[in-house]
Amino acid sequence: MTLAPPERRATADANPDLLPLLGRTPVARIRTDLPHAHPGFWAKLECLGAGGMKARAAMSMLTGARRRGELRPGAPVVESTSGTMGIGLAFAGQALGHPVILVGDSELEPSMRQLLHTYGARLELVDRPAARGGWQAARITRLHDVLARTEDAYWPDQYNNPDNPAGYRSMAAELIGQLDHLDVLVCSVGTGGHSAGLVGPLRRRWPRLKVIGVDSVGSAIFGQPARPRLMRGLGSSIHPRNVRHGVFDEVHWVGPAEAVDACRRLARGSFVSGGWSTGAVALVSAWAARAEPGAVVATIFPDGPQRYLGTVYDDDFCLAHGLTATPVASRPLEVPHPRAAEAFGWVRCRTVVDPVGAALGAPVPAPGGAA
């Protein structure tokens, strides 16, 4: 299935006036109960920057490719996306003068399809997940087909491109200027870009910084078995090379019901909210602020709530998926190793492993238990 914008041209005019709109986002102090009272944490509001958080990575990847001669002037950009990177690439494509072709899937929200179309991106959708690797693998297969039939097309490969993390150095510099001190950084993990880009500069400024990774239940990034995920933009069925497992002190897996609860509480109590990733990192940040009294905790809210009005904020959707019936725990369950038990709700693990690395540590029980 292909959705093309009207009167799409082979090339696009660059609009460099957009560049000053990139980044420069504020931080807000969040004190809303999530789900219980906490001392508060800082949230960087990427929804207030043009193109959202992923616009930083998109600009970095495209400018890097142009500098190396991999992306020719006016040539099309082709990428796989669950939505958020698509918005970032639409921004970067307009700023730099590149038409954008996005490979999504039939789970992509109608509002996001319409938004991407409105921004001038051409959208190709796959209608079934791959037997191994799910929707991501199916999108990558279609992406290679699009590349083969599109002259001069460039694939940024957000999952493995080192220019993705490099795009978040500006965010690190902004945080250093906005915060006097930082003890704990909470990062959602999907492609691995913003955590990999932030931690180096922030630890040079604050060497004892603790970093908590937040993943989705059903994600394979930190060694759990992959399975279908309701949350989009968080977690992965594949193993992105941009994820730097060694920077994390611990990892939390969060379920969709917990993310929905946090998003809705944020919207009612703070007037700032977002989607699945925002809810997940807010939940864990509030827990970290309670668990370490006196610590300065910060996180990134990647986008706003607009694309999630038909999912996270839709009562019928949440009821149909059983997202409002279970009370949210005040603390995570703990497991000693990612392979000790399969997470179906909020779970914490202080052993962080690279599931495709050479060493996974001491033998642990095979998956089979449930947390």
Side-chain angles (χ1 to χ4, degrees):
M1 181 180 186
T2 303
L3 301 174
E7 302 180 7
R8 194 182 77 82
R9 297 171 294 174
T11 59
D13 294 328
N15 184 0
D17 291 340
L18 293 174
L19 297 178
L21 304 178
L22 183 68
R24 300 177 175 86
T25 55
V27 293
R29 188 70 174 167
I30 305 298
R31 301 183 188 275
T32 302
D33 293 356
L34 294 167
H36 302 291
H38 58 91
F41 61 89
W42 294 102
K44 192 155 177 61
L45 307 183
E46 287 293 281
C47 64
L48 298 181
M53 181 178 78
K54 295 295 182 75
R56 297 180 190 256
M59 284 295 301
S60 177
M61 291 189 293
L62 298 197
T63 55
R66 285 161 61 101
R67 185 173 59 251
R68 293 186 296 272
E70 298 167 3
L71 174 60
R72 299 173 65 176
V77 174
V78 182
E79 183 58 287
S80 161
T81 181
S82 62
T84 309
M85 178 58 80
I87 298 294
L89 283 170
F91 172 87
Q94 286 193 30
L96 300 175
H98 296 277
V100 174
I101 305 171
L102 301 170
V103 180
D105 57 64
S106 58
E107 297 293 301
L108 190 64
E109 303 96 329
S111 59
M112 179 55 77
R113 301 184 198 186
Q114 185 176 2
L115 190 59
L116 292 169
H117 177 77
T118 300
Y119 282 138
R122 177 176 140 201
L123 186 60
E124 296 220 359
L125 299 178
V126 296
D127 59 7
R128 65 184 63 184
R132 184 171 184 177
W135 288 114
Q136 282 175 302
R139 294 198 307 261
I140 294 299
T141 298
R142 174 69 69 85
L143 181 145
H144 285 294
D145 176 62
V146 175
L147 289 172
R149 52 185 164 85
T150 306
E151 185 178 359
D152 288 335
Y154 170 71
W155 174 30
D157 189 9
Q158 60 172 312
Y159 306 105
N160 305 300
N161 188 335
D163 287 331
N164 178 340
Y168 295 101
R169 291 172 186 160
S170 62
M171 183 190 289
E174 291 169 23
L175 283 168
I176 289 170
Q178 291 166 324
L179 301 176
D180 294 330
H181 183 71
L182 184 59
D183 296 299
V184 181
L185 177 69
V186 179
C187 288
S188 60
V189 186
T191 68
H194 85 277
S195 55
L198 288 177
V199 174
L202 294 183
R203 276 194 170 141
R204 283 191 290 274
R205 177 66 179 85
W206 297 296
R208 301 182 66 180
L209 178 68
K210 178 179 180 179
V211 180
I212 300 176
V214 180
D215 199 3
S216 166
V217 296
S219 167
I221 291 176
F222 290 99
Q224 286 272 301
R227 63 176 190 271
R229 302 187 312 280
L230 185 63
M231 298 196 286
R232 302 181 68 77
L234 179 67
S236 178
S237 298
I238 60 178
H239 299 288
R241 289 199 297 271
N242 277 333
V243 177
R244 298 179 186 172
H245 296 79
V247 306
F248 297 101
D249 295 283
E250 61 184 76
V251 60
H252 290 233
W253 293 274
V254 174
E258 294 143 344
V260 163
D261 180 80
C263 284
R264 291 183 170 213
R265 289 176 183 272
L266 283 170
R268 291 192 302 268
S270 301
F271 203 79
V272 294
S273 193
W276 304 109
S277 296
T278 294
V281 296
L283 176 70
V284 175
S285 297
W287 168 85
R290 290 195 304 270
E292 301 190 33
V296 178
V297 179
T299 191
I300 316 299
F301 287 1
D303 57 10
Q306 291 80 4
R307 70 169 283 197
Y308 308 97
L309 297 180
T311 53
V312 172
Y313 302 96
D314 183 272
D315 290 341
D316 292 336
F317 175 91
C318 292
L319 183 63
H321 290 86
L323 302 183
T324 56
T326 305
V328 177
S330 61
R331 65 178 67 88
L333 294 173
E334 296 207 27
V335 296
H337 193 282
R339 294 187 301 179
E342 189 170 352
F344 288 89
W346 186 13
V347 170
R348 175 194 186 198
C349 184
R350 284 178 278 186
T351 300
V352 181
V353 299
D354 178 354
V356 296
L360 289 176
V364 296

Coordinates of all heavy atoms in Angstrom, one line a residue, residues 80-139:
S80 N 12.6 3.2 7.4 CA 11.6 2.4 8.1 C 11.3 3.2 9.3 O 12.2 3.7 10.0 CB 12.1 1.0 8.4 OG 11.3 0.4 9.4
T81 N 10.0 3.3 9.7 CA 9.6 4.0 10.9 C 8.3 3.5 11.5 O 7.4 3.0 10.7 CB 9.5 5.5 10.6 OG1 9.1 6.2 11.8 CG2 8.4 5.8 9.5
S82 N 8.2 3.6 12.8 CA 6.9 3.4 13.5 C 6.2 4.7 13.7 O 5.1 4.8 14.3 CB 7.1 2.7 14.8 OG 7.9 3.5 15.7
G83 N 6.8 5.8 13.2 CA 6.1 7.1 13.2 C 7.0 8.3 13.6 O 7.1 9.3 12.8
T84 N 7.6 8.2 14.7 CA 8.3 9.4 15.2 C 9.5 9.8 14.4 O 9.7 11.0 14.1 CB 8.8 9.1 16.7 OG1 7.6 8.7 17.5 CG2 9.3 10.4 17.3
M85 N 10.3 8.8 14.0 CA 11.5 9.2 13.1 C 10.9 9.7 11.8 O 11.6 10.6 11.1 CB 12.4 8.0 12.9 CG 13.5 8.2 11.9 SD 14.6 9.6 12.4 CE 15.6 8.8 13.6
G86 N 9.8 9.3 11.3 CA 9.2 9.8 10.1 C 8.9 11.3 10.2 O 9.2 12.0 9.2
I87 N 8.4 11.7 11.3 CA 8.2 13.2 11.5 C 9.6 13.9 11.4 O 9.7 15.0 10.8 CB 7.5 13.5 12.8 CG1 6.1 12.8 12.8 CG2 7.4 15.0 13.1 CD1 5.2 13.4 11.8
G88 N 10.6 13.4 12.1 CA 11.9 14.0 12.1 C 12.5 14.1 10.7 O 13.1 15.1 10.3
L89 N 12.3 13.0 9.9 CA 12.9 13.0 8.6 C 12.1 13.9 7.7 O 12.6 14.5 6.8 CB 12.9 11.6 8.0 CG 14.0 10.7 8.5 CD1 13.7 9.2 8.1 CD2 15.3 11.2 8.0
A90 N 10.8 14.1 7.9 CA 10.0 15.0 7.1 C 10.5 16.4 7.4 O 10.6 17.2 6.4 CB 8.5 14.9 7.5
F91 N 10.8 16.7 8.6 CA 11.4 18.0 8.9 C 12.8 18.2 8.2 O 13.0 19.2 7.6 CB 11.6 18.2 10.4 CG 12.3 19.4 10.9 CD1 11.7 20.6 11.0 CD2 13.7 19.4 11.1 CE1 12.3 21.8 11.4 CE2 14.4 20.5 11.4 CZ 13.7 21.7 11.6
A92 N 13.6 17.2 8.4 CA 15.0 17.3 7.8 C 14.9 17.4 6.3 O 15.7 18.1 5.7 CB 15.8 16.2 8.3
G93 N 14.0 16.6 5.7 CA 13.9 16.6 4.3 C 13.5 18.0 3.7 O 14.0 18.4 2.7
Q94 N 12.5 18.6 4.4 CA 12.1 19.9 4.0 C 13.3 20.9 4.2 O 13.5 21.8 3.3 CB 10.9 20.4 4.8 CG 9.6 19.7 4.4 CD 8.4 20.5 5.0 OE1 8.4 21.7 5.2 NE2 7.3 19.7 5.2
A95 N 14.0 20.9 5.3 CA 15.0 21.8 5.6 C 16.2 21.7 4.6 O 16.8 22.7 4.1 CB 15.6 21.6 7.0
L96 N 16.5 20.5 4.2 CA 17.7 20.2 3.3 C 17.3 20.0 1.9 O 18.3 19.9 1.0 CB 18.4 19.0 3.9 CG 19.0 19.1 5.3 CD1 19.6 17.8 5.8 CD2 19.9 20.3 5.4
G97 N 16.1 19.8 1.5 CA 15.7 19.7 0.1 C 15.7 18.3 -0.4 O 16.2 18.0 -1.5
H98 N 15.2 17.3 0.4 CA 15.1 15.9 0.0 C 13.7 15.4 0.1 O 13.1 15.5 1.2 CB 16.1 15.0 0.8 CG 17.5 15.4 0.7 ND1 18.3 14.9 -0.3 CD2 18.3 16.2 1.4 CE1 19.5 15.4 -0.2 NE2 19.5 16.2 0.8
P99 N 13.1 14.8 -0.9 CA 11.9 14.1 -0.8 C 12.1 12.9 0.2 O 13.2 12.3 0.2 CB 11.5 13.6 -2.2 CG 12.8 13.6 -2.9 CD 13.7 14.7 -2.3
V100 N 11.1 12.5 0.9 CA 11.2 11.5 1.9 C 10.1 10.4 1.6 O 9.0 10.6 1.4 CB 11.0 12.0 3.3 CG1 10.9 10.9 4.4 CG2 12.1 13.0 3.7
I101 N 10.6 9.1 1.6 CA 9.8 7.9 1.5 C 9.9 7.1 2.7 O 11.0 6.7 3.1 CB 10.2 7.1 0.3 CG1 10.2 7.9 -1.0 CG2 9.2 5.9 0.1 CD1 10.8 7.2 -2.2
L102 N 8.8 6.9 3.4 CA 8.8 6.2 4.7 C 8.0 4.8 4.5 O 7.0 4.8 4.0 CB 8.1 7.0 5.7 CG 8.7 8.4 6.0 CD1 7.8 9.3 6.8 CD2 10.1 8.3 6.6
V103 N 8.7 3.8 5.1 CA 8.1 2.5 5.1 C 7.5 2.2 6.5 O 8.3 2.1 7.5 CB 9.1 1.4 4.7 CG1 8.4 0.0 4.7 CG2 9.7 1.7 3.3
G104 N 6.2 2.2 6.6 CA 5.5 1.9 7.8 C 4.8 0.6 7.8 O 5.1 -0.3 6.9
D105 N 3.8 0.4 8.7 CA 3.0 -0.8 8.7 C 1.6 -0.5 9.0 O 1.3 0.6 9.4 CB 3.6 -1.9 9.6 CG 3.7 -1.4 11.1 OD1 2.7 -1.1 11.7 OD2 4.8 -1.2 11.6
S106 N 0.7 -1.5 8.9 CA -0.7 -1.3 9.0 C -1.1 -1.0 10.4 O -2.2 -0.6 10.7 CB -1.5 -2.5 8.5 OG -1.1 -3.7 9.2
E107 N -0.2 -1.1 11.4 CA -0.5 -0.7 12.8 C -0.2 0.8 13.0 O -0.6 1.3 14.1 CB 0.4 -1.5 13.8 CG 0.2 -3.0 13.7 CD -1.2 -3.4 14.3 OE1 -1.5 -3.1 15.4 OE2 -2.0 -4.0 13.5
L108 N 0.3 1.4 12.1 CA 0.6 2.9 12.2 C -0.8 3.6 12.3 O -1.7 3.4 11.5 CB 1.3 3.4 11.0 CG 1.9 4.8 11.0 CD1 2.9 5.0 12.1 CD2 2.5 5.2 9.7
E109 N -0.9 4.5 13.3 CA -2.2 5.1 13.6 C -2.6 6.0 12.4 O -1.8 6.6 11.7 CB -2.0 6.1 14.8 CG -1.5 5.4 16.1 CD -0.1 5.5 16.3 OE1 0.7 5.5 15.2 OE2 0.4 5.5 17.4
P110 N -3.9 6.0 12.1 CA -4.4 6.8 11.0 C -4.0 8.3 11.1 O -3.7 8.9 10.1 CB -5.9 6.6 11.1 CG -6.1 5.3 11.7 CD -5.0 5.2 12.7
S111 N -4.0 8.8 12.3 CA -3.6 10.2 12.5 C -2.1 10.4 12.1 O -1.8 11.4 11.5 CB -3.8 10.6 14.0 OG -3.0 9.8 14.9
M112 N -1.3 9.5 12.4 CA 0.1 9.6 12.0 C 0.3 9.4 10.5 O 1.1 10.2 9.9 CB 1.0 8.5 12.7 CG 2.5 8.6 12.4 SD 3.2 10.2 12.6 CE 3.4 10.2 14.4
R113 N -0.5 8.6 9.9 CA -0.4 8.4 8.4 C -0.8 9.8 7.8 O -0.1 10.3 6.9 CB -1.4 7.4 8.0 CG -1.1 6.0 8.5 CD -2.1 5.0 7.9 NE -2.2 3.8 8.6 CZ -2.9 2.7 8.2 NH1 -3.5 2.7 7.1 NH2 -2.9 1.6 9.0
Q114 N -1.9 10.4 8.3 CA -2.3 11.7 7.8 C -1.3 12.8 8.0 O -1.1 13.6 7.1 CB -3.7 12.0 8.4 CG -4.3 13.3 7.8 CD -5.7 13.6 8.4 OE1 -6.1 12.8 9.3 NE2 -6.3 14.6 7.9
L115 N -0.7 12.8 9.2 CA 0.3 13.8 9.5 C 1.5 13.7 8.6 O 2.0 14.7 8.0 CB 0.7 13.7 10.9 CG 1.6 14.8 11.5 CD1 0.8 16.1 11.4 CD2 1.9 14.5 13.0
L116 N 2.0 12.5 8.4 CA 3.2 12.2 7.5 C 2.9 12.6 6.1 O 3.7 13.3 5.4 CB 3.6 10.8 7.6 CG 4.2 10.3 8.9 CD1 4.4 8.8 9.0 CD2 5.6 11.0 9.2
H117 N 1.7 12.3 5.6 CA 1.2 12.6 4.3 C 1.1 14.2 4.2 O 1.6 14.8 3.2 CB -0.2 12.0 4.1 CG -0.8 12.4 2.7 ND1 -0.4 11.8 1.6 CD2 -1.8 13.2 2.4 CE1 -1.1 12.3 0.6 NE2 -2.0 13.1 1.1
T118 N 0.6 14.8 5.2 CA 0.5 16.3 5.2 C 1.9 17.0 5.1 O 2.0 18.0 4.4 CB -0.3 16.8 6.4 OG1 -1.6 16.2 6.4 CG2 -0.4 18.3 6.5
Y119 N 2.9 16.4 5.7 CA 4.2 17.0 5.7 C 4.9 16.7 4.4 O 6.1 17.1 4.2 CB 5.0 16.4 6.9 CG 4.7 17.1 8.2 CD1 4.6 16.3 9.4 CD2 4.5 18.5 8.3 CE1 4.4 16.9 10.6 CE2 4.3 19.1 9.5 CZ 4.2 18.3 10.6 OH 3.9 18.9 11.9
G120 N 4.3 16.0 3.5 CA 4.9 15.7 2.2 C 5.6 14.4 2.0 O 6.2 14.2 1.0
A121 N 5.6 13.6 3.0 CA 6.3 12.3 2.9 C 5.4 11.3 2.1 O 4.2 11.3 2.2 CB 6.6 11.7 4.3
R122 N 6.0 10.4 1.3 CA 5.4 9.3 0.7 C 5.4 8.1 1.6 O 6.5 7.8 2.2 CB 6.1 9.0 -0.6 CG 5.4 7.8 -1.4 CD 6.1 7.6 -2.7 NE 6.3 6.2 -3.0 CZ 7.2 5.7 -3.9 NH1 8.0 6.6 -4.5 NH2 7.4 4.5 -4.1
L123 N 4.3 7.5 1.8 CA 4.2 6.4 2.8 C 3.9 5.1 2.1 O 2.9 5.0 1.4 CB 3.2 6.8 3.8 CG 3.0 5.8 5.0 CD1 4.3 5.8 5.8 CD2 1.9 6.3 5.9
E124 N 4.7 4.1 2.4 CA 4.5 2.7 2.0 C 4.2 1.8 3.2 O 5.0 1.9 4.2 CB 5.6 2.1 1.2 CG 5.9 2.9 -0.1 CD 6.3 1.9 -1.3 OE1 6.3 0.7 -1.1 OE2 6.5 2.4 -2.4
L125 N 3.2 1.0 3.2 CA 2.8 0.2 4.3 C 2.8 -1.2 4.0 O 2.4 -1.7 3.0 CB 1.3 0.6 4.8 CG 1.1 2.0 5.2 CD1 -0.4 2.2 5.5 CD2 1.9 2.5 6.3
V126 N 3.4 -2.0 5.0 CA 3.4 -3.5 4.9 C 2.2 -3.9 5.7 O 1.8 -3.3 6.7 CB 4.7 -4.1 5.4 CG1 5.8 -3.7 4.6 CG2 4.9 -3.7 6.9
D127 N 1.5 -5.0 5.3 CA 0.2 -5.4 5.9 C 0.3 -6.6 6.8 O -0.7 -7.0 7.3 CB -0.8 -5.6 4.8 CG -0.4 -6.6 3.8 OD1 0.6 -7.3 4.0 OD2 -1.2 -6.8 2.8
R128 N 1.5 -7.1 7.0 CA 1.6 -8.3 7.9 C 3.1 -8.3 8.4 O 4.0 -8.0 7.7 CB 1.3 -9.6 7.2 CG 2.2 -10.0 6.1 CD 1.7 -11.3 5.4 NE 0.4 -11.0 4.8 CZ -0.3 -12.0 4.1 NH1 0.1 -13.2 4.1 NH2 -1.5 -11.7 3.6
P129 N 3.2 -8.7 9.7 CA 4.5 -8.8 10.3 C 5.3 -10.1 9.8 O 4.7 -11.0 9.3 CB 4.2 -9.0 11.8 CG 2.9 -9.6 11.8 CD 2.1 -9.1 10.7
A130 N 6.6 -10.0 9.8 CA 7.4 -11.1 9.5 C 7.3 -12.2 10.5 O 7.1 -11.9 11.7 CB 8.9 -10.7 9.2
A131 N 7.5 -13.4 10.2 CA 7.5 -14.5 11.1 C 8.5 -14.4 12.2 O 8.4 -14.7 13.4 CB 7.6 -15.9 10.4
R132 N 9.7 -13.8 11.8 CA 10.8 -13.6 12.7 C 11.2 -12.1 12.6 O 11.5 -11.7 11.5 CB 12.0 -14.5 12.4 CG 13.1 -14.3 13.5 CD 14.1 -15.4 13.3 NE 15.2 -15.3 14.3 CZ 16.2 -16.1 14.4 NH1 16.3 -17.1 13.5 NH2 17.1 -15.9 15.3
G133 N 11.1 -11.4 13.7 CA 11.4 -10.0 13.6 C 10.2 -9.0 13.6 O 10.4 -7.8 13.6
G134 N 9.0 -9.6 13.4 CA 7.8 -8.8 13.5 C 7.7 -7.7 12.4 O 8.2 -7.9 11.3
W135 N 7.0 -6.6 12.9 CA 6.8 -5.5 11.9 C 8.1 -4.9 11.5 O 8.2 -4.5 10.3 CB 5.9 -4.5 12.6 CG 4.5 -4.9 12.8 CD1 3.8 -5.1 13.9 CD2 3.5 -5.1 11.7 NE1 2.5 -5.4 13.7 CE2 2.3 -5.4 12.4 CE3 3.6 -5.0 10.3 CZ2 1.1 -5.7 11.6 CZ3 2.4 -5.3 9.6 CH2 1.2 -5.7 10.3
Q136 N 9.1 -4.8 12.4 CA 10.3 -4.2 12.0 C 11.0 -4.9 10.8 O 11.4 -4.3 9.9 CB 11.3 -4.1 13.2 CG 10.9 -2.9 14.1 CD 11.8 -3.0 15.3 OE1 11.9 -4.0 16.1 NE2 12.5 -1.9 15.6
A137 N 11.1 -6.2 10.9 CA 11.7 -7.0 9.9 C 10.9 -6.9 8.6 O 11.5 -6.8 7.5 CB 11.8 -8.5 10.3
A138 N 9.6 -6.9 8.7 CA 8.7 -6.7 7.5 C 9.0 -5.4 6.8 O 9.0 -5.3 5.6 CB 7.3 -6.9 7.8
R139 N 9.1 -4.4 7.6 CA 9.4 -3.0 7.1 C 10.7 -3.0 6.4 O 10.9 -2.4 5.3 CB 9.3 -2.0 8.2 CG 7.9 -1.8 8.8 CD 7.8 -0.5 9.5 NE 8.8 -0.2 10.5 CZ 8.6 -0.4 11.8 NH1 7.4 -0.9 12.2 NH2 9.6 -0.2 12.6

